[in-house]
Amino acid sequence: MVPLSVAGVFPLGPENFLCALLHAPEKGRFLPVWLPPVEGAQLSARLSGARPTRPGTHDVLSDVITQSGRGVSSIEISSYVNGVFMATLTLADGTEYDLRASDALVLAAALDEEIEADEAVLAQAGLRISAADLATYFNLDIDPGGSAAEGESASGDAAADAEFEQLMRDLGVEEGDLGNED
């Protein structure tokens, strides 16, 4: 599992849909998780330090977990299927619960727990974003971390990268065709 931090919640695209940008500094990758409006607003409010005057569902669940003495072992983005992130809440006694990723993020914030991602999820859905793009598009001044070493796999799966490279060569695409001749 790879620890993630929530870099922020951002309105993106012409519709201004909310997107939580999760950062895995040790891997130099970001996971963009699109959020339903209510959970996006709740997460954004929690990240800014706001607390609801009355408990919401996530607050009640947080209290039940805490007061039951069972505690949390982990909250993780456990898989990514057909464009949808799945999350898992694991209690200290080993009991697992399936969650929507948006609920996992809000619950992690309510419990002040770290959220993690399976390495396969990062390899499949993670993005590399340059420091310049983070500043331009998200107004973030953070080091993306985990800079890719020469020859390191772009996707996290070196064999798949090699197959893709060979496919592109078979199609007649050369490095210079990609516009990065330097």
Side-chain angles (χ1 to χ4, degrees), residues 27-149:
K27 298 292 184 180
R29 294 199 178 243
F30 292 85
L31 282 179
V33 179
W34 298 99
L35 304 170
V38 172
E39 289 81 356
Q42 290 172 338
L43 181 59
S44 184
R46 284 192 183 279
L47 294 176
S48 69
R51 294 292 177 256
T53 54
R54 296 285 301 141
T57 305
H58 297 98
D59 301 299
V60 172
L61 183 54
S62 170
D63 287 346
V64 168
I65 291 169
T66 303
Q67 292 175 16
S68 72
R70 293 172 77 186
V72 172
S73 174
S74 67
I75 300 176
E76 60 192 50
I77 306 295
S78 50
S79 63
Y80 179 75
V81 179
N82 296 328
V84 178
F85 289 101
M86 295 1 162
T88 304
L89 164 67
T90 305
L91 298 180
D93 67 2
T95 306
E96 292 186 349
Y97 296 95
D98 179 42
L99 298 173
R100 298 182 309 165
S102 56
D103 289 325
L105 293 172
V106 177
L107 184 60
L111 287 165
D112 197 26
E113 288 284 334
E114 182 177 75
I115 192 144
E116 301 171 311
D118 187 284
E119 292 213 24
V121 171
L122 279 175
Q124 186 178 13
L127 307 170
R128 292 193 192 276
I129 305 175
S130 71
D133 285 345
L134 288 168
T136 300
Y137 298 108
F138 300 100
N139 198 29
L140 292 174
D141 183 23
I142 60 175
D143 176 13
S147 59

